[in-house]
Amino acid sequence: MSRSKRKDGLLTGARVYLSGPMDFVASRAAEKQFGWRNRVSQFLQASGVTVFDPWFKPDVRGLHEYGREDVKSGERIRKRWTYEGGKAGAAARSWCSKQFWETLHIDLRMVDTSDFMISYCPTNIYSVGTPHEIIMATLQHKPVLFVSPPIVFPTLHKLRARLNGNPEDRALLDQLEKEIPIKENPRAIPSLWYIPLVGGENFFDGFGFAPYRKRFGWKTEIPIDRHEHRFPPKRPLLPFVEKLNHSLPQKWDRKLDRFVPDDDWLLWDFKAKKIRGKHVETVRR
């Protein structure tokens, strides 16, 4: 949607970072091409939002390709990693650290530059960078909109049923579930550490893509579509963001026992027409 046709809202000019697992997903290539970030980016950009997507990092002046990731960048680092002692081992680990430092640096700078974050955190995917980013954002009192979907394994249930008549194979499956471990989360409860960190009103159990697919031309069905068809989100993210463009959300105050303004939602208003960049004007009248 062009700027001339779009009516400016509260999100116009805001900057958002999209946080979530990239390393231990089922397929990095599929995640980059068809993952949730592509749709959420398009949805936000329609409201005039600047989106920071770690798959498509912004150019850095004077540092060409700084921190860029591709689907095989992690593999190159893992091939060089070693626990070998001495000079050779130290040099290899130093190289690995230097290679990923650029990625860590630019991703955290995008968090630092953003006004708020959207994080997708399924409880079955291991992640380290995402908690780091969430903690950094909350330390800066930036809102984190946290999506924690229901986690179930229907194929596992089918396999269990098939092995019911075979005690030995069923025992192997039970042992495998303990070793991995496989833990379902059908109620979409986020990891408990996140609850006080993020705040109760910023949790969602899905994106709610379905009502927006026709509007945005999302013809290709992705795994999240099938998942949300089976488990329709009770509190979807996209309608919340759509409403956010018109009015700021509130937070619950336990002491007052009511909703109150949430002053973490600080969205700058850069409308001053200055030739040489932007400047911040006082909000006082």
Side-chain angles (χ1 to χ4, degrees):
M1 185 181 296
S2 66
R3 177 64 184 267
S4 60
K5 295 181 180 180
R6 185 185 66 236
K7 184 178 180 180
D8 288 352
L10 294 177
L11 293 179
T12 303
R15 297 156 298 186
V16 182
Y17 180 72
L18 305 183
S19 174
M22 297 171 62
D23 201 11
F24 286 88
V25 294
S27 168
R28 283 173 62 87
E31 181 69 19
K32 182 175 182 178
Q33 185 175 2
F34 301 111
W36 64 273
R37 288 180 175 89
N38 295 287
R39 288 186 176 181
V40 173
S41 293
Q42 186 181 356
F43 182 86
L44 292 167
Q45 288 165 350
S47 297
V49 175
T50 296
V51 178
F52 293 133
D53 182 344
W55 281 118
F56 304 98
K57 304 183 194 300
D59 291 327
V60 180
R61 293 173 181 171
L63 296 172
H64 183 61
E65 296 293 317
Y66 186 87
R68 291 291 175 88
E69 287 183 86
D70 57 41
V71 296
K72 295 184 178 180
S73 56
E75 295 178 12
R76 290 191 289 270
I77 295 175
R78 289 187 179 89
K79 286 181 180 179
R80 291 284 296 271
W81 177 260
T82 180
Y83 287 100
E84 179 184 349
K87 182 178 179 180
R93 289 187 292 274
S94 178
W95 180 89
C96 293
S97 176
K98 174 61 172 63
Q99 292 301 306
F100 202 76
W101 160 251
E102 292 185 3
T103 297
L104 185 153
H105 187 192
I106 196 170
D107 284 1
L108 292 183
R109 178 60 62 88
M110 288 191 287
V111 173
D112 188 51
T113 307
S114 66
D115 297 303
F116 66 97
M117 274 177 46
I118 293 176
S119 295
Y120 179 57
C121 298
T123 53
N124 65 317
I125 301 180
Y126 172 79
S127 180
V128 175
T130 301
H132 190 174
E133 293 162 352
I134 291 173
I135 291 168
M136 182 173 176
T138 55
L139 287 174
Q140 296 176 353
H141 297 282
K142 293 178 180 179
V144 176
L145 304 182
F146 191 107
V147 179
S148 176
I151 299 299
V152 294
F153 303 102
T155 305
L156 176 63
H157 290 279
K158 292 179 182 178
L159 184 57
R160 282 176 182 166
R162 179 168 294 188
L163 297 180
N164 275 339
N166 191 325
E168 291 186 6
D169 290 346
R170 179 58 191 265
L172 286 174
L173 178 60
D174 292 342
Q175 184 61 32
L176 178 63
E177 291 181 45
K178 295 176 182 178
E179 291 176 0
I180 292 180
I182 297 176
K183 293 187 177 181
E184 294 191 318
N185 183 15
R187 292 180 55 207
I189 302 171
S191 296
L192 301 186
W193 194 281
Y194 283 128
I195 297 176
L197 188 65
V198 172
E201 296 308 302
N202 289 342
F203 286 98
F204 307 86
D205 60 342
F207 293 100
F209 286 138
Y212 300 92
R213 288 186 64 180
K214 183 176 181 180
R215 185 198 306 182
F216 288 94
W218 297 331
K219 297 180 180 180
T220 301
E221 186 177 73
I222 62 177
I224 291 179
D225 291 325
R226 294 188 290 273
H227 187 77
E228 293 194 346
H229 178 74
R230 184 178 182 186
F231 301 97
K234 298 177 181 177
R235 182 175 165 82
L237 173 72
L238 296 195
F240 177 90
V241 175
E242 192 169 43
K243 184 178 179 181
L244 170 61
N245 197 33
H246 304 287
S247 61
L248 293 179
Q250 295 184 316
K251 63 182 179 181
W252 182 256
D253 190 308
R254 290 182 62 246
K255 293 181 179 179
L256 299 177
D257 197 33
R258 61 182 174 86
F259 286 102
V260 297
D262 185 351
D263 60 2
D264 280 352
W265 285 99
L266 300 179
L267 302 176
W268 299 119
D269 186 1
F270 291 126
K271 292 184 179 179
K273 296 181 179 180
K274 298 293 182 181
I275 297 176
R276 300 180 64 181
K278 302 286 187 181
H279 74 284
V280 180
E281 294 182 345
T282 177
V283 297
R284 296 181 180 178
R285 296 290 185 265

